[in-house]
Amino acid sequence: MTIRSLLLAGVAVSMLSTPALGQQTDAVAATDPQHDLAAASGDVGEPPSSAGTGARDEDAIVVTATRRSQQAQDVPIAVSVVGGEHIDSTGSFNVGRLQQLTPTLQFYSSNPRNTAVNIRGIGVPFGLTNDGIEQGVGIYIDDVYNSRVASATFDFLDVAQIEVLRGPQGTLYGKNTTAGAINITTRQPTFEFEGRAEVSIGNRGFRQAKAAVSGPLSDTVAARLAISSTGRDGTIYNVTSQRPINEQDNLGLRGQILWQPSSSVDVTLAGDYSEQDPECCGTVFVRTGATQRPLARQFATLAAAQNYAPVSTDPFDRLTDLDASLNAGNKLGGVSLRANWDVGPGTITSVTAWRFWDWKPENDRDFTGLPVTTESNNPSQQDQWTQEFRFAGTVGDLDFVLGAFGFKQKVRTQGLQEQGPAASRWLLSGALANDPTVLDGLRAENDIRLDNVSAALFGRASWHVTDSLTITPGVRLNYDKKDGLYDSVVTNGAGQLVTFASNDPRIVAQRGVLAPQRFEVAYRDWNVGYDLSVAYELNPDVLAYATYAKTFKSGGVNLNGVPADAQGNPILAAGTVDPEAVRHYEAGLKSQFWDRRITANLAAFRTDIGNYQALVTNGQLGVLRGYLASAEAVRTQGAEIDLSLRPSERFNLYVNGAYTDAKYRKFIDAPCPPELSGGTVAGPGQTLSQPGTPGGISPANCDISGQRLPGVSKWSFSFGGEANLPATVLGLPGQAYLGYDGSFRSDFSSNPTPSAYTWVDGYSLHNFRLGFRSEEGFNLFGWVRNAFGERYFEQLQVPSGNTGLIVGNLGDPRTYGLTIQTQF
């Protein structure tokens, strides 16, 4: 029997063996899923309230965004809060689905390693994965920083609450985060026995099971264990393998032991393990667009020369013919020890953690059914160690947080790319293109290493000048040390080393496809950042605030190769990347009225970034190869609104909206879009050809100053609500309810340099649920996601080579199913 079979069986047994509903605890019976629904409305602190009675402060949403427990409406930070119950009821079981509830969050993933999580349009360069750079959005789970963004692709496990913080957070959090942070809090061990279980089934073979149990082991020790498993058939059919691909296959385990020897000390030991093993991640043919390559080197001609045609030219047929093996197997986990000691004026917190990530992919990187690239895999292993100390307390009119943070990371990646028998005809021109043996078996084996050490001191103090006015300065001192190695060894099908010492035409052609390179690179830097916030309470239910932050995103090292000179020597000046210089401005208003039945929060922001880390093609180095470096200036600005309405305990409504204007202010050496690429590079005085002119004159690089950043919709919204009526089913008193959650986002560019071929049209998604929940914790509901069958792309991609091929990652089709939950 497999682990997943045991899990499903265990959940079923736990659901069947729950105590009689009348024996459940009052604490569970008091749980209100609609409290969590209100939480989904963004910066909400609106508690559930009874008609005519107003809201109760003790029911307000509590967050730890400022490293102390505060009501969300009292925190002068733009923060969206989503409760665990709402996560479960809406099927938002990972960050990708969470973005439908939080419009300022952007998530893109072509596979777990090539994943980007951005807030307000910034965080990490779109479509670029490089082990040597930092994330701009920090992901924290129970105070533990997760450095690999692949953690965003795993299922949430026994989550109590998620806070999405917008804007720089470096003076509050251990790892510096310039765009924001996702702060995930899991349910903790309890000294009263409790449990929960959930099983879902749906179309496309969807099956999901979750369970958690918690209780005392002694008067001072409690434990909690949670398990989760998700499976679903693929949403694209591969006619080559005759199997559906892009499936879901997730397993997660989490255990915690709490030791509480006194009321002033608690220590929690936690361990977790998650794995994914889906046949993933494939794309579909979308279209072709004319480039400036000669006609003989564009997709239609190249495909016809090998009697090839895509299996379908309609991407929403959901058919592909990828011929290389596909897999997105990865494992993630770790152990943490978190201790809190109340010393009177404050609390000392220590968080010690080790985490690992093991990535074993298989990809088809020619994106066709031809054996052009037969292997393109970059298995990677990461270990990270973190230690954080914090002291949070109050002295007179001053609340403060002081912290120290240490981070050590080791990444080892073994890259592999091998060309197949169709590669010569696809990638070469002239006589050699007709000889399959030139590139067949050409193989690059890459040894990529990163050793990363970071240390920081940080702090923030809130001075309550009056009962209404609070001034909060913060500061951060940061040190970064990165050492990298990139070593690519290339051999051909005859087993010969491909080097720059040979002038053999075959070798020259081979290294034009896969070039050997070896270099070591080191980066060291100190940085200081600071912020200042002013908050004024206009009345007990209205808070105005303004923030200025001058901060940074750490510099990095290039670990995807760098440009080389004519002799093949790496140009080490391109080996390091400058830190981003960030200036952030924000003003906001948090308000509640109508006896706190309505919550309305507004925020306006502007972030200016100098030395924005991006892919550039800089002719100053004497070559025109793209590499990671600094664009001169980027700006993102906009406004956000979060509204929630709860006129009675029978109805609630929320609307969140964001306008985001994110642009390159100055970027003169950007890679050109496909319609301006592939031709003869323009010399002095030559006139450039029109976009898409075959055999044209192309610019060496493109000035895209003033154009939009990729992946950012100007307009995005989430909205929804729930209505319920008293009902009794099988003798169980409770509520019958109807819930709805929708989202909309306008069009966005899906290429680092905007291209006419890669704009993703705007789309809207609509999800419904209908069910019954008892007062004692039983919940049964049917659900449908993407109810109206919206056909949309999550991402479009431009494969290398400038053939004009455009491929896409499809959004999920309509799905539906049934969920049963119980708490005891």
Side-chain angles (χ1 to χ4, degrees), residues 461-508:
S462 296
W463 176 33
H464 303 290
V465 182
T466 69
D467 289 342
S468 300
L469 176 64
T470 300
I471 300 175
T472 305
V475 66
R476 178 185 185 87
L477 174 65
N478 203 91
Y479 174 72
D480 286 290
K481 173 185 174 183
K482 294 182 173 73
D483 294 293
L485 166 70
Y486 179 86
D487 187 7
S488 179
V489 178
V490 180
T491 57
N492 59 27
Q496 299 172 302
L497 280 174
V498 175
T499 70
F500 281 89
S502 174
N503 292 320
D504 182 325
R506 295 171 64 93
I507 298 292
V508 172

Side-chain angles (χ1 to χ4, degrees), residues 189-193 214-223 258-260:
T190 59
F191 283 95
E192 291 186 6
F193 181 75
S214 179
L217 301 181
S218 71
D219 290 341
T220 59
V221 178
L258 168 65
W259 177 48
Q260 199 171 59

